[in-house]
Structures are given as structure tokens and as C-alpha cells.
Amino acid sequence: MTFIDNYPKSAKIAKANFLVAFIALAIGGLFGLIQALHRTGWARNIISSAEYYTMLTGHGVLLALVFTTFFIAGLFVWGVTRSLDREPENMAFSWSWFWIMLIGTLMATVAILGGFVEGSSIRAAVLYTFYPPMQAHPLFYIGAALLIIGSWMAGADWFRSYLAWRKEHPDERIPLQTYMTLFTMLMWYVCTVGVALEVVVLLIPWSLGWVNQIDPLLPRTLFWYFGHAVVYFWLLPAYFVWYSILPKLSGGRLFSDSMARIVFIIFLILSTPVGYHHQYADPGITVGFKFYAMATTLLLLLPSLLTLFTVVASMEHGAKQRGGKGYFAWLGKLPWGEPAFAGCALAGIMFAAGGFSGIINAAMNINILVHNTIWVPGHFHLTVGTAVALTFMAISYWLVPQLTGRKLKNKTLALIQPYLWFLGMTLMSNAMHRGGLAGIPRRTAEPNYSQFDFEAVFGTISEIKWQIAIGGILLTVSLVFFLWVIFNSWFRGERADKPVDDFIPAALSGPEHAPKILDNIKLWVLLAIALVLIAYSVPLAEMVMDGLFSPGAPTIPV
Amino acid sequence: MHIHRFERFWIGVSLVAIAIFIATVVIGFSVYDLRVIGAEKTVDPQNLQETKFADPGVRKAEPGSEVDYEVYVMSRQFMFNPGTAEPITVPTDAKIRFHITSPDVLHGFEVVGTNLNTMVIPGQVATFTTRFDTPKTYGLLCNEYCGAAHHVMEGRLKVVSKSQFNEKQLVQ
């Protein structure tokens, strides 16, 4: 018996979410390869430089918003169902949020892909940050709004399951996987208020032509109210995997259940009031609020450092169960030959590197050196592009068999895949960071200028380009391996009663040692709202008071 | 609640590290005068002809001003004025204040290889003060996506020695 046998309805909806996620991953990944080749000048004839920006929009939206949101929905359906031991309360409701998210995704995707059709008026080359006054087709904004509304309903679905479970279990602690799901979604509710207001109140009326000017700073600020917390919406499900599954894959048990809860509380409280750290270089926001955002950003290092401790301690425990010894020799006893473990562990290692460049980004007067350079995508291809994406891919090798009741096929290919991703990302990301130090901008089709040349701080500019192109090719090969293994296993895998060992043992220090206050959802939500109000009420009030659409810039269609 | 003594130690080390990171920024601000852009003033992006951006370029600062020169730069799809057609020319050993805005979309103003780097937002004026010690010509580029020809938006910033700086070229 595995997940699909115990919870067939949940398995079906989780699979539907994974399917959309993997299709988005395939298209977004292909776009990434073409961009790497275009930017570096290795192949400038696949698309035009104007089309580059349409492709970049597709890459960002399909990977950062669609792949992540659908994968996370599938993962949380699995986690809530198994940890509460109950399927969703109402399947019609569950399928309705899935379809709303999917319809929104299709609308936005059509708007973006319209940019490849000559003469099309349906275009959305506004990148995934869609800063006005550059204007996309209304389909793009309405689609984005539907994706977010669907995700809110998904969260409501999991709360509904929790409340129904609570009625039957009045005195039990919230099971850890449900706890992590609920806290991730609470953070998501707090932060998506910003982008929902931006899109529904400002951008949709403006794109429909009901107003003919827009104040660029206000929507940009509302976007970044959401835009950093969204990275924790991607990251926390990876933490969910690292806390609740990785210890088991290492052969051991979670080190501390209470520490996992504390980490998720800190993320709920601190994720949103950090948004200005994406606006350090913006005129129109006072330095004091930028400083407040910086302090909260750096405090967010704490939960990640705590995670590092607990996850490594759990892995050490696992390795020692497998006969590992010594201070470091135990590392060799970890199951490096298992694709799910290897992928999660390599993702964790890259996250540490991404954390270091993140500290540079967070420090506001150092950030100015790298602001909007290719350093920044170098950073987030380590975090969302590896810590999150590689964890999602790796854990799919363990989840998809449970959801389909079929064994994993092509295990060798599955094992090579995370190592290849690690290698490709090492090449691409180090080169992007160094390119940023030389001042090479991000989001640029042709970073070659006629009036000056870049000077590399380490290495040479041509070697940097070479590493970006080779890295991009290796990442694409790795992605093809992943998709092939999943496709083959999903549809042609050998049916088995127990396709993987899906038993998750209890934590070494379980919830009985966690203070009750950690499960006080209301308290932590109120604290989160208070910190957001401190950060945002005054600046937003100032921007709104001179008129919602003023100082108004004229509309510029893309 | 039980917290392992190694974990207590780790939490302590983490908090100290975070305090040090924040301190580096505070020291940068107070000792090395490393500032970031703040909120200066807003303008109506549809009426820039009534401001000094109507006649952009390098100006002598008003008498009694805390700076020596004021530079007004208009960033628009897909050029800096001045900067693209002719370089922005400023002298060494002078306090120079830049004012940058845009009449159309978001742009970036990046002097390559320096920490002169700001967003340019319609409706807002980005203002920062700097000085150059040695003559050098820097590259200038737009680092925020601003449309289909974003990648051609570039220019130069030319720093000449104070003795060679021709004040007759200033905007009056």
C-alpha cells in the first residue's frame, strides 16, 4: 500500500498539479537555454533581440510562478493528506482551485507567447516583475490574478482539512507537515495582499483603458511587498522536504520538531517587511525604511542558519545509523547513490553558496555595486534555481512513485541528473556573479556596448560567457534527463504495491517537547501583520495621498 | 523546551554574525559616507518641460550650495541626455550632484565599475552626490529593462582634470 492506494482522490489532484508544473518546467527551461546562448552571443539567430524579452518573460513566469506554485500545491496536497490521514473535505472545491489556477496560467501564457506572433496585439513582454508604465495585454494581468486567487483557495482547502481534523483531535499537536503547510500559506496570504491590490486595483483597470496614466512607484512598491516573500513561498516547501523527508532519506530521523516550527514562525513574521531590499536603489523611498527592511532581511538569516543546523544534524544522525563515524567521515556513509537524497543534499549545499551572495545583496550600501547586474540572477539561480528547483526535482523521484503506484525507471539517469545540475549551475552561477562584479547588466539581450568594454575583476569576460553558455547547456541536459525519467516512470513504470519506502519516522525530539505557544496561529499572524504595518503604512500612505494614479506617467504598450 | 547545547552555541554564533553584518552597513554609512538613494522629490513626468530637465546637462551650482556642480540627466527610451550622443563631462576634485528622471518607463543609470547605480522612475528624481579623484572615461548603461531596444541604451561619463574642464560648456 502506498499513497495512491490509501488516498486515491488526493493522489489524482496532486498528480494533476505536478503535470502542469513539469510542463511549465520543460518550456521555461528551454527558454532559459535559448537566452543563455543568445546573451553570450553563442547563437543570436534563434530569436531576435526584441523577442528575447518575450522569452525572458516566459522563462520567469513559467518557472518562478507556474512551476513553483503548481508543484507546491501538489506537494502540500500530499503532505496535508498523509499527515492528517484524511483526503480533502470536498473534491469539487479542490478541483475548482486547480482549474482556476490553470485557466489563469493559460491566459497569462497566451498573452506572453503572443509576442512571438508578428503583428499580434496580444503581447506581454513586461518580464515577470511587470513594472508599469510598460503595459501588457489585459489577459496577462487577469491570468496572474486568477493564479493567485486559485492559490488562496488551495490554502483555504488545507485549512478546511485542518479544522475538520481538529474537531476529531482536540488535544493533539498539529502534525509537522500540516503545520509547515499552514504557516507557508499564512505567509502567502500576508504577502499576496500586495500584488493582488496592485493587479486588481491598479493594473487591470489601467490595462483595460479605464485610466490612462499610472504612478510607476506605487505598483512597483506593491509588487516588492509581495516580491521577496514570494521567494520564501518557493523556499519553505523545500524546507518542508528538508525537515520532514530528507532525514528519513538519510537513514535517520528529524533532529528537532520544535526547531522546525520556530523556523516557520520566523519566516511568517519576517518575510514580508523586507520588500524594500529590492528597492535600495529606488528614488522615492526614504533611507530609514530601507534600513528597517535590511535589518529584517539579515534577521532572516537566523531561520536559515537554524535549518542548516537541524538538517545537517539529522543527516549526521542518519549516517551514523548507517555505520558512519568521526567528525566528518560520516558524510561518506550518506546515500549519495540515491537520486532523491543526492538531489536534496546538493541543493542544500548550493543554497549555502546562494546565502552568501544573498548577504551581499542584503547589505544596502554594498548592494549598489551589484544592483541590477547579472550578479542578481547568478544569486537566484542558486536559491530558487537550485535549492528549490533541484529539491523539487529530486523529491519527485520519491513522490511520483507514491502518487502513481509505479517504481522509478532509469535510475542511473535519475542519479546522474542532480550531479549534472550541480555542475552546470556551478559553472553558470559563478560566472554570472563575476560578470555582475564587472558591471554586466541583467535582463539584457545583448550585453555588448559600442562606447565601452567591461573589465572582469577575476578571469576574463570571454571566459565568463563561455561558462554561462556551457553551464546553460549542462542544465538543459540535466532537465531533459529529469523529464525523461519522470515521464517513463509515470506512464511505463512497473506497478508495485510498495514502489518506494514511504514510511517517515518520528523526530528525535518530537512535538511533545515543543511549547504549546508555537501552535498559536492567531498570535503569530497578528505579529506578522504588525511588522508589515510598521514597514509599509507610512510609505504607502504617502504614495497614495497624492492620488492613486499620480504622479502619472503615460502608458507605454510593449 | 529542549535545545541541544550545540544548537544553543550555533544560535549564539548566528546572532553575532547577523549583528556584525548590520554593523558593516552602519559603519559604511557613518565612516565611509557610503549612502543609498533616498526620497528626494517627485515631478510630473508629463510636464518636465517646466523643470531643469527641459535643458539637461551639467550646471554650475547656485552660490552657497553644498556642491559645486549639478548634473541633470533625462533617461528615455533608448538614450541618456546627456550621455549617449555626447558624454556627460565633469571635472575632478569637485562635489557633483546628479539628478536623474524619466518621462516614459523605468530605466537604470549605471556608471560601469562604480557604485553610481540608481533606478530611474517616472515621477521621481534620483539624486546622489559624488566626486572623482582622477580623470577617466566610464561606460554608462541602462540596467533596467525599458523596451525592445533596451540593450542599445548606453553612453559615457567623462571625468577630466579640473584644469582642463571648460566651464563654457556648462548649461547656463
Side-chain angles (χ1 to χ4, degrees):
Chain A
M1 295 285 273
T2 190
F3 190 85
I4 186 172
D5 308 306
N6 296 325
Y7 315 104
K9 294 179 202 157
S10 291
K12 198 169 177 196
I13 193 160
K15 274 191 289 188
N17 278 285
F18 278 8
L19 187 66
V20 178
F22 296 149
I23 292 170
L25 179 63
I27 303 171
L30 174 69
F31 285 4
L33 173 68
I34 296 171
Q35 282 156 227
L37 298 178
H38 190 96
R39 252 198 88 108
T40 52
W42 276 39
R44 284 255 161 95
N45 44 10
I46 305 171
I47 48 169
S48 72
S49 286
E51 285 168 337
Y52 178 90
Y53 301 105
T54 290
M55 195 160 262
L56 182 54
T57 308
H59 180 71
V61 170
L62 287 173
L63 293 182
L65 298 179
V66 179
F67 162 62
T68 52
T69 305
F70 279 90
F71 188 89
I72 291 164
L75 178 70
F76 282 171
V77 166
W78 171 83
V80 170
T81 301
R82 73 162 290 285
S83 67
L84 296 180
D85 189 22
R86 67 189 302 139
E87 297 206 290
E89 300 310 300
N90 179 338
M91 287 319 292
F93 182 74
S94 299
W95 284 105
S96 68
W97 60 253
F98 170 78
W99 281 106
I100 289 175
M101 284 179 17
L102 183 58
I103 290 166
T105 297
L106 291 174
M107 287 169 78
T109 306
V110 165
I112 295 167
L113 296 182
F116 292 119
V117 180
E118 207 154 325
S120 160
S121 63
I122 301 179
R123 312 176 72 83
V126 288
L127 309 190
Y128 113 97
T129 45
F130 50 86
Y131 301 134
M134 248 189 276
Q135 192 182 62
H137 191 274
L139 267 182
F140 177 81
Y141 302 111
I142 297 170
L146 287 179
L147 178 58
I148 290 165
I149 290 167
S151 73
W152 286 349
M153 291 168 63
D157 205 3
W158 302 320
F159 269 93
R160 203 168 159 186
S161 291
Y162 162 68
L163 291 174
W165 172 88
R166 177 53 87 201
K167 260 194 199 142
E168 294 167 17
H169 305 80
D171 300 317
E172 274 181 47
R173 297 304 293 264
I174 308 175
L176 185 60
Q177 287 186 328
T178 299
Y179 184 95
M180 294 192 282
T181 301
L182 299 184
F183 273 72
T184 304
M185 293 315 292
L186 288 169
M187 186 210 73
W188 183 241
Y189 288 125
V190 171
C191 77
T192 43
V193 167
V195 73
L197 285 175
E198 178 198 5
V199 171
V200 175
V201 176
L202 303 174
L203 301 189
I204 291 177
W206 167 70
S207 69
L208 291 170
W210 300 345
V211 284
N212 55 13
Q213 62 172 36
I214 190 114
D215 169 9
L217 185 63
L218 176 60
R220 178 177 162 83
T221 304
L222 287 171
F223 181 86
W224 286 118
Y225 170 102
F226 149 85
H228 196 75
V230 71
V231 313
Y232 297 118
F233 177 66
W234 308 327
L235 185 65
L236 291 184
Y239 277 22
F240 170 106
V241 170
W242 297 353
Y243 275 110
S244 75
I245 310 173
L246 184 57
K248 182 254 162 26
L249 298 178
S250 321
R253 295 154 67 180
L254 174 62
F255 186 73
S256 163
D257 173 287
S258 11
M259 216 32 96
R261 291 175 200 249
I262 289 172
V263 162
F264 274 69
I265 289 173
I266 301 176
F267 276 112
L268 166 63
I269 296 171
L270 293 180
S271 285
T272 306
V274 302
Y276 300 129
H277 76 212
H278 289 259
Q279 296 181 281
Y280 285 154
D282 277 22
I285 292 166
T286 50
V287 176
F289 285 108
K290 289 178 179 175
F291 191 88
Y292 174 78
M294 181 189 77
T296 45
T297 306
L298 287 170
L299 274 175
L300 274 171
L301 274 174
L302 183 65
S304 286
L305 290 167
L306 293 179
T307 301
L308 177 66
F309 183 95
T310 301
V311 172
V312 173
S314 311
M315 285 177 19
E316 181 176 350
H317 171 73
K320 293 203 163 153
Q321 304 304 304
R322 300 163 61 93
K325 300 241 170 343
Y327 283 121
F328 294 105
W330 57 268
L331 284 164
K333 284 283 180 189
L334 287 168
W336 295 103
E338 290 295 326
F341 171 83
C344 291
L346 293 171
I349 294 169
M350 282 231 138
F351 187 56
F356 288 123
S357 65
I359 295 168
I360 307 288
N361 299 342
M364 61 181 174
N365 46 12
I366 305 171
N367 170 287
I368 302 302
L369 280 171
V370 293
H371 171 77
N372 268 358
T373 67
I374 196 172
W375 165 289
V376 179
H379 162 75
F380 67 65
H381 280 80
L382 291 177
T383 53
V384 64
T386 303
V388 174
L390 185 55
T391 298
F392 287 0
M393 289 192 267
I395 210 62
S396 299
Y397 296 139
W398 188 75
L399 284 177
V400 168
Q402 296 182 39
L403 297 176
T404 57
R406 292 168 188 262
K407 282 189 175 171
L408 194 68
K409 276 179 87 85
N410 313 98
K411 262 194 90 173
T412 312
L413 220 50
L415 182 61
I416 297 170
Q417 185 267 325
Y419 291 94
L420 197 56
W421 190 276
F422 189 86
L423 177 65
M425 196 57 86
T426 303
L427 294 175
M428 189 172 93
S429 174
N430 93 79
M432 286 168 115
H433 278 93
R434 290 184 293 121
L437 291 179
I440 300 175
R442 66 186 287 197
R443 299 182 148 185
T444 296
E446 297 176 31
N448 317 82
Y449 295 91
S450 60
Q451 301 199 24
F452 60 91
D453 292 311
F454 294 107
E455 286 168 43
V457 185
F458 309 107
T460 65
I461 296 295
S462 67
E463 162 264 327
I464 285 174
K465 286 183 179 173
W466 190 89
Q467 290 206 37
I468 291 176
I470 296 284
I473 292 168
L474 293 181
L475 287 164
T476 311
V477 173
S478 171
L479 179 58
V480 170
F481 284 6
F482 168 76
L483 293 167
W484 176 248
V485 171
I486 289 295
F487 174 81
N488 242 353
S489 309
W490 189 318
F491 296 103
R492 299 187 207 152
E494 181 196 336
R495 285 190 190 278
D497 194 38
K498 199 104 188 130
V500 283
D501 172 11
D502 58 6
F503 172 71
I504 298 180
L508 285 171
S509 166
E512 63 281 5
H513 297 126
K516 277 256 158 86
I517 194 169
L518 299 184
D519 289 11
N520 187 337
I521 292 177
K522 272 186 203 141
L523 172 70
W524 304 118
V525 170
L526 286 175
L527 195 53
I529 293 173
L531 289 182
V532 165
L533 288 177
I534 293 173
Y536 276 97
S537 48
V538 172
L540 282 178
E542 280 177 358
M543 287 175 211
V544 169
M545 254 147 36
D546 61 358
L548 212 48
F549 293 90
S550 302
T555 302
I556 313 280
V558 289
Chain B
M1 183 173 119
H2 172 71
I3 302 178
H4 193 280
R5 65 193 163 89
F6 289 169
E7 192 160 26
R8 281 177 208 274
F9 174 74
W10 179 253
I11 293 171
V13 171
S14 302
L15 288 172
V16 169
I18 290 168
I20 291 173
F21 293 142
I22 296 178
T24 58
V25 174
V26 175
I27 292 167
F29 257 78
S30 48
V31 179
Y32 298 100
D33 206 28
L34 290 169
R35 299 301 167 96
V36 297
I37 308 289
E40 290 290 335
K41 54 178 182 272
T42 58
V43 286
D44 180 353
Q46 306 194 53
N47 278 309
L48 291 173
Q49 65 275 20
E50 289 161 18
T51 68
K52 287 180 175 161
F53 291 101
D55 201 5
V58 186
R59 294 164 183 257
K60 188 101 184 150
E62 306 275 331
S65 164
E66 55 191 6
V67 298
D68 303 310
Y69 298 93
E70 311 264 9
V71 184
Y72 289 82
V73 182
M74 182 81 115
S75 308
R76 59 166 69 235
Q77 285 179 325
F78 295 98
M79 60 179 294
F80 296 103
N81 181 17
T84 300
E86 80 280 8
I88 302 169
T89 306
V90 293
T92 56
D93 305 313
K95 254 188 145 174
I96 301 160
R97 184 155 58 197
F98 285 80
H99 309 261
I100 309 161
T101 198
S102 158
D104 44 42
V105 297
L106 264 61
H107 298 281
F109 179 93
E110 174 186 329
V111 180
V112 178
T114 72
N115 66 348
L116 302 181
N117 190 351
T118 181
M119 294 298 301
V120 184
I121 301 178
Q124 310 291 327
V125 181
T127 304
F128 58 84
T129 306
T130 190
R131 65 184 298 134
F132 299 92
D133 296 330
T134 47
K136 185 178 173 183
T137 299
Y138 296 92
L140 176 65
L141 62 82
C142 172
N143 64 15
E144 183 57 79
Y145 168 60
C146 61
H150 160 57
H151 44 274
V152 306
M153 185 161 167
E154 62 166 319
R156 274 176 299 166
L157 172 75
K158 199 168 162 187
V159 181
V160 298
S161 71
K162 201 168 189 169
S163 55
Q164 285 172 3
F165 185 66
N166 181 0
E167 291 219 337
K168 283 186 187 136
Q169 291 174 351
L170 294 176
V171 176
Q172 296 304 316

